């Protein structure tokens, strides 16, 4: 059903037209059992749609009661006469701007909001969803998918209390929703500015970030004297934000590879952890839909399992990973977290001890990096540095044997409330420790030091006294411009040279903060990249302890066998693809469909594989001769080494042309 209803219409003209009475079965919510919530939500969406078109007689008593309770229909005159109120009309409109399989999400938002704040909340959240259509666009294609993503995030935010005011309905909630919408718009334009290839898209984005976002600048005086340092600070900050955003595209590569295909065999990722780390743990997760979800924690890399030894090999690795600084040196001490919610990396090294508390005290705290899955968090912040002791305490209490088929009753549930970016930030605040947010406009333009929260020591104590309430000295994230810090000497009557020296002196701590935070964030990102690169090599048989270059073929054939025996639907079968190792957002190239076992190699005839013994041997020969050259190359010593491509299992819905 297509419904047109635009925000630009006047209030009196915005209501949907009344249509002639139609005779269809009455929609009765009580006919659907409560253990089928999705079906109940779908019925309410259909009922509200019919009601908006004037067919209120199709609503059964239980359906009417539910919609009345949600504040989407109201009484008109004497009962049982009803009418669809503005909130209901807006929900009908937004429900038809997203793909059909998630059309019930707007109604779920209203139900969660009303359950927390009462019936009056339906108007505020219906308006927020309505405004989201204006920001993201709707309908089929990327715009509708972006809108659906933001609605999913709002559902998660309501579950997890992220980025929303609590404690009652009123001005605080209205303000929180306005701020959320503003931050969504800022984040979209920031991503376009940093990653879009179209010059005009970038230009429009930077114009918005300057005029509306009122972006900050690095903590330097304007002029040629500091131009080089200022550009270096901004380059590093933009690089950190860009890499953080790009990691949000990586989670679909691990979705299939973190699950076991057969009950008796561990997943690919679990086998990688067992073989290449001294400690490999599985996280106990009782609720797969609550952050951080199921996942793994690996510690202490076995270098001899991931890297070939010898002079030629050492030279090749050093040259290949030169852009990643000290990552190769620090890799043995790294702990790696991968869950449905996030990537995490923790290393005990001097550059990851960040200053906290008063500047004069010299106190430092060890920090680790979390990069959130944009599709599995209600937070609009997607990356941050958090104290390692907080993260380790929560993770180690939930660790159980990586091969265990049943949950250990002696372990904590990692999905208990508290492991999302907002909850972690609140816990840090309660301990007097700053939680550093890395992926936002303040960091991208103001330098990495702006990851520290507003008013926090040792870099931003002065910010508490700065102007507030949408001052021209603040960006749209509420952070005060660094220039304001240098201007309060103007009233001291100093000579020009003294004034310049004072300004330079007062900005030096912020400049040092930019370096310290950038060193930590870049170092942790580099080690995380290196672990993923070696995992890619391990899958392709390019590591000492895993030389089988047909491992991914064997895994695909096993998936076909197991799911065929289980009579699974085609949507449950993954697709083995050739993907770019360094660019997670690049379109994948499908090679082997695990449902049909059709092997598609560029410039080669399509082949049908099968499970017979002879067929497996022929398939392995084809694989080594024609597929492996697509993801490897030969070094100057004639050895097969990694290329810019690798192999990955992807969900069927994420692969075009399948």
């Amino acid at each position: 059903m297509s419904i047109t209803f635009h925000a630009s219409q006047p209030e009196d003209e915005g209501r949907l037209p009344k249509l002639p009475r139609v005779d269809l079965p009455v929609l009765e919510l009580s006919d659907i059992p409560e253990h089928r919530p999705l079906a109940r939500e779908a019925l309410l969406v259909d009922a509200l749609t019919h009601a908006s078109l004037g067919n209120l007689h199709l609503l059964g008593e239980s359906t009417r009661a539910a919609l009345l309770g949600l504040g989407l229909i109201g009484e008109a005159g004497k009962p049982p006469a009803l009418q669809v109120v503005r909130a209901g009309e807006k929900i009908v409109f937004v429900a038809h701007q997203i793909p059909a399989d998630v059309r019930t999400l707007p109604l779920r938002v209203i139900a969660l909001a009303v359950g927390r704040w009462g019936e009056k909340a339906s108007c505020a959240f219906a308006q927020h969803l309505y405004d989201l259509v204006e920001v993201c666009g709707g309908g089929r294609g990327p715009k509708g998918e972006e809108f659906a993503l933001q609605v999913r995030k709002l559902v998660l935010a309501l579950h997890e209390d992220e980025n929303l005011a609590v404690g009652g309905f009123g001005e605080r909630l209205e303000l929180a929703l306005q701020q959320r919408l503003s931050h969504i718009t800022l984040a979209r334009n920031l991503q376009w500015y940093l990653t879009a290839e179209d010059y005009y898209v970038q230009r429009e984005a930077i114009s918005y970030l300057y005029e509306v976002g009122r972006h900050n600048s690095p903590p330097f005086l304007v002029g040629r004297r500091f131009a080089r340092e200022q550009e270096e600070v901004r380059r590093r900050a933009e690089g950190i934000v860009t890499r953080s955003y790009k990691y949000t595209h990586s989670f679909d590569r691990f979705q299939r590879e973190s699950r076991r295909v057969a009950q008796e065999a561990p997943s690919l990722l679990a086998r990688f952890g067992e073989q290449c780390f001294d400690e490999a743990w599985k996280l106990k997760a009782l609720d797969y839909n609550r952050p951080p979800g199921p996942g793994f924690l690996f510690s202490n890399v076995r270098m001899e399992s991931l890297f070939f030894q010898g002079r030629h090999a050492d030279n090749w690795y050093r040259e290949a990973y030169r852009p990643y600084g000290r990552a190769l040196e620090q890799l043995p001490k790294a702990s790696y977290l991968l869950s449905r919610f996030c990537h995490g990396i923790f290393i005990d090294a001097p550059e990851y001890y960040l200053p906290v508390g008063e500047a004069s005290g010299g106190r430092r705290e060890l920090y680790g990096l979390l990069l959130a899955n944009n599709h599995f968090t209600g937070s609009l912040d997607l990356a941050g540095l958090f104290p390692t002791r907080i993260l380790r305490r929560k993770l180690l209490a939930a660790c159980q044997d990586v091969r265990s088929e049943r949950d250990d009753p002696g372990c904590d549930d990692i999905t208990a409330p508290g492991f999302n970016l907002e909850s972690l930030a609140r816990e840090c605040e309660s301990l007097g420790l700053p939680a550093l947010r890395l992926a936002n406009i303040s960091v991208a333009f103001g330098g990495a030091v702006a990851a520290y929260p507003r008013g926090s020591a040792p870099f931003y104590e002065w910010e508490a006294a700065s102007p507030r309430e949408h001052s021209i000295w603040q960006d749209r994230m509420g952070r005060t411009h660094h220039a304001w810090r240098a201007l309060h000497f103007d009233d001291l009557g100093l000579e020009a040279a003294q004034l310049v020296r004072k300004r330079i002196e007062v900005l030096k701590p912020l400049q040092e903060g930019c370096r310290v935070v950038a060193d930590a964030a870049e170092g942790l990102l580099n080690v995380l990249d290196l672990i993923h690169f070696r995992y890619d090599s391990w899958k392709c048989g390019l590591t000492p302890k895993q030389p089988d270059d047909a491992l991914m073929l064997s895994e695909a054939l096993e998936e076909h066998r197991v799911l065929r025996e289980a009579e699974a639907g085609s949507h449950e079968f993954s697709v083995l693809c050739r993907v770019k190792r360094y660019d997670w957002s690049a379109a994948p190239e499908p090679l082997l469909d695990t449902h049909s076992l059709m092997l598609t190699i560029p410039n080669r005839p399509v082949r049908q594989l099968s499970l017979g013994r002879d067929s497996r041997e022929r398939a392995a020969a084809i694989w080594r001769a024609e597929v492996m050259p697509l993801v490897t190359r030969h070094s100057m010593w004639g050895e097969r080494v990694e290329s810019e491509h690798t192999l990955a299992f992807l969900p069927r819905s994420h692969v075009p042309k399948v």
Side-chain angles (χ1 to χ4, degrees):
M1 179 180 296
S2 177
I3 296 177
T4 57
F5 176 53
H6 301 287
S8 58
Q9 293 176 314
E11 183 77 16
D12 295 339
E13 299 176 7
R15 295 191 179 278
L16 297 168
K18 303 299 181 184
L19 297 184
R21 182 184 180 93
V22 297
D23 293 320
L24 291 171
V26 173
L27 300 171
E28 193 67 76
L29 185 64
S30 59
D31 291 341
I32 302 177
E34 292 189 3
H35 68 267
R36 297 180 59 197
L38 294 179
R40 291 170 66 89
E41 290 174 353
L43 182 139
L44 288 176
V45 171
D46 289 343
L48 188 59
T49 302
H50 279 295
S52 297
L53 295 172
N55 297 314
L56 282 156
H57 64 284
L58 297 179
L59 277 60
E61 288 300 321
S62 59
T63 305
R64 292 186 180 204
L67 293 176
L68 275 168
L70 293 175
L72 301 177
I73 63 175
E75 297 181 358
K78 295 181 180 180
L82 299 172
Q83 66 179 9
V84 178
V85 298
R86 292 287 293 176
E89 291 177 352
K90 289 172 181 174
I91 291 302
V92 171
F93 170 68
V94 299
H96 291 274
Q97 301 301 311
I98 54 180
D101 59 331
V102 290
R103 189 160 289 167
T104 62
L105 286 178
L107 190 74
R108 194 177 308 168
V109 168
I110 298 298
L112 289 168
V114 170
R116 178 174 298 174
W117 291 288
E119 183 181 323
K120 291 182 179 180
S122 64
C123 294
F125 278 86
Q127 183 63 48
H128 178 70
L129 292 167
Y130 195 55
D131 293 339
L132 266 179
V133 177
E134 293 291 311
V135 171
C136 302
R140 296 180 179 178
K143 290 185 177 180
E145 292 172 1
E146 171 66 16
F147 175 61
L149 169 63
Q150 293 301 336
V151 179
R152 284 194 200 96
K153 288 174 70 66
L154 185 56
V155 170
L156 287 166
L158 286 165
H159 274 300
E160 294 294 329
D161 233 353
E162 294 179 0
N163 276 8
L164 291 173
V166 294
F169 174 78
E171 184 179 349
R172 286 186 63 206
L173 180 59
E174 298 275 5
L175 180 60
L177 291 174
Q178 291 173 10
Q179 289 176 338
R180 186 178 180 88
L181 192 69
S182 174
H183 290 181
I184 289 171
T185 310
L186 286 172
R188 283 165 54 83
N189 280 276
L190 183 58
Q191 289 191 53
W192 288 335
Y193 164 64
L194 294 174
T195 62
E197 297 180 358
D198 189 312
Y199 166 75
Y200 294 100
V201 172
Q202 281 191 322
R203 189 174 68 175
E204 186 174 340
I206 189 61
S207 176
Y208 179 90
L209 294 172
Y210 176 74
E211 296 174 6
V212 180
R214 302 191 300 269
H215 67 69
N216 200 350
S217 297
F220 293 89
L221 297 186
V222 176
R224 295 178 59 186
R225 177 178 175 182
F226 301 102
R228 182 176 298 177
E229 293 94 330
Q230 185 170 2
E231 180 58 30
E232 176 67 8
V233 165
R234 176 169 287 181
R235 181 192 64 78
R236 296 184 73 183
E238 288 184 357
I240 291 167
V241 178
T242 302
R243 292 171 72 180
S244 300
Y245 278 145
K246 286 187 174 181
Y247 254 102
T248 65
H249 297 282
S250 69
F251 288 88
D252 59 348
R253 295 195 185 183
F254 298 94
Q255 184 174 321
R256 151 66 177 82
E257 294 172 12
S258 62
R259 294 199 317 262
R260 61 177 72 208
V261 176
Q263 194 65 26
E264 63 275 7
S267 66
L268 270 174
L269 200 63
R271 278 177 272 165
F272 170 70
E274 279 188 307
Q275 193 175 94
C276 302
F277 292 79
D278 287 338
E279 299 178 2
W281 305 98
K282 183 174 71 172
L283 300 178
K284 180 180 178 180
L286 299 182
D287 186 348
Y288 278 31
N289 295 313
R290 181 187 290 273
F296 300 94
L297 180 65
F298 304 145
S299 297
N300 302 327
V301 176
R302 296 173 182 163
M303 299 295 281
E304 69 279 5
S305 297
L306 282 180
F307 297 91
F308 290 100
Q309 307 300 310
R311 183 167 59 87
H312 291 321
D314 291 344
N315 290 338
W316 188 89
Y317 291 131
R318 275 198 297 269
E319 188 61 32
Y321 299 124
R322 187 184 300 276
Y324 294 88
R326 297 180 58 203
L328 201 59
E329 172 189 339
Q330 294 180 345
L331 186 60
K333 299 182 287 185
S335 294
Y336 168 55
L337 166 68
L338 172 66
S339 74
R340 186 182 176 191
F341 164 66
C342 67
H343 295 292
I345 193 78
F346 323 113
I347 305 171
D348 191 347
E351 57 263 50
Y352 307 125
Y353 282 84
L354 300 181
V356 296
E358 298 296 330
S360 59
R363 182 170 157 234
R364 289 180 174 265
E365 180 79 22
L366 180 62
Y367 275 71
L369 174 69
L370 290 183
L371 298 169
N373 180 353
N374 197 24
H375 294 261
F376 198 52
T377 177
S379 174
L380 301 179
D381 290 302
L382 299 179
L385 295 171
F386 296 89
T388 301
R389 59 176 158 129
I390 294 177
L391 301 175
R392 282 191 177 277
R393 174 171 50 80
K394 293 178 178 291
L395 292 170
L396 293 178
C399 285
Q400 55 188 357
D401 187 87
V402 74
R403 284 181 173 262
S404 63
E405 297 181 13
R406 297 182 179 179
D407 288 321
D408 184 346
C411 294
D412 292 347
D413 174 21
I414 191 64
T415 62
F419 203 101
N420 57 68
L421 298 187
E422 302 302 325
S423 298
L424 290 171
R426 285 195 291 269
E427 186 169 349
C428 290
E429 185 178 359
S430 69
L431 295 174
L433 298 171
L436 279 62
R437 305 301 184 89
L438 293 172
N440 55 63
I441 181 178
S442 302
V443 172
F445 291 95
V449 69
Y452 274 83
R454 177 183 173 87
S456 63
F459 300 111
Y460 285 103
E461 301 98 324
W462 56 270
E463 199 174 10
S466 66
R468 303 205 60 161
E469 300 300 329
H470 308 293
S471 164
I472 60 171
W473 292 106
Q474 284 186 338
D475 64 21
R476 286 295 291 272
M477 299 290 292
R479 301 304 304 275
T480 304
H481 290 191
H482 293 136
W484 186 87
R485 174 64 170 146
L487 289 179
H488 70 275
F489 296 109
D490 290 1
D491 299 330
L492 299 182
L494 300 176
E495 295 182 359
Q498 292 177 311
L499 185 60
V500 169
R501 285 196 296 271
K502 279 282 188 181
R503 288 175 173 173
I504 293 174
E505 182 180 346
V506 80
L507 291 176
K508 276 186 177 180
L510 291 167
Q511 296 165 13
E512 176 64 12
C514 287
R515 183 194 64 78
V516 168
V517 177
D519 285 348
E522 287 176 347
L524 291 167
L525 282 166
N526 288 342
V527 176
L528 185 61
D529 283 349
L530 192 54
I531 289 176
H532 288 159
F533 295 161
R534 297 317 297 166
Y535 174 58
D536 289 336
S537 302
W538 180 86
K539 291 188 295 184
C540 295
L542 298 174
T543 59
K545 300 294 178 144
Q546 203 300 97
D548 182 7
D549 54 5
L551 172 66
M552 297 295 272
L553 171 63
S554 302
E555 192 76 6
L557 295 176
E558 182 66 6
E559 177 177 331
H560 175 84
R561 181 189 68 80
V562 170
L563 294 184
R564 282 290 190 179
E565 289 178 357
E567 299 182 351
S570 60
H571 66 282
E572 297 185 47
F573 290 79
S574 62
V575 180
L576 183 54
C577 299
R578 177 181 185 242
V579 295
K580 282 195 172 181
R581 185 192 299 266
Y582 304 99
D583 186 358
W584 292 291
S585 60
E589 302 173 27
L591 292 177
L592 181 59
D593 184 344
T594 62
H595 179 257
S596 64
L597 288 187
M598 300 297 292
L599 179 63
T600 306
I601 300 174
N603 303 318
R604 301 278 185 175
V606 177
R607 292 180 173 87
Q608 173 70 61
L609 304 185
S610 60
L611 295 178
R613 180 176 178 181
D614 293 341
S615 299
R616 282 176 179 262
E617 292 176 355
R618 285 196 299 271
I622 294 171
W623 194 263
R624 293 186 174 98
E626 299 183 15
V627 174
M628 292 310 296
L630 298 176
V631 295
T632 59
R633 60 185 177 85
H634 285 90
S635 70
M636 61 185 298
W637 298 286
E639 300 161 332
R640 179 162 282 184
V641 296
E642 301 90 337
S643 72
E644 65 175 4
H645 290 89
T646 188
L647 298 172
F649 286 100
L650 296 180
R652 197 172 200 79
S653 58
H654 296 188
V655 182
K657 304 177 185 178
V658 174

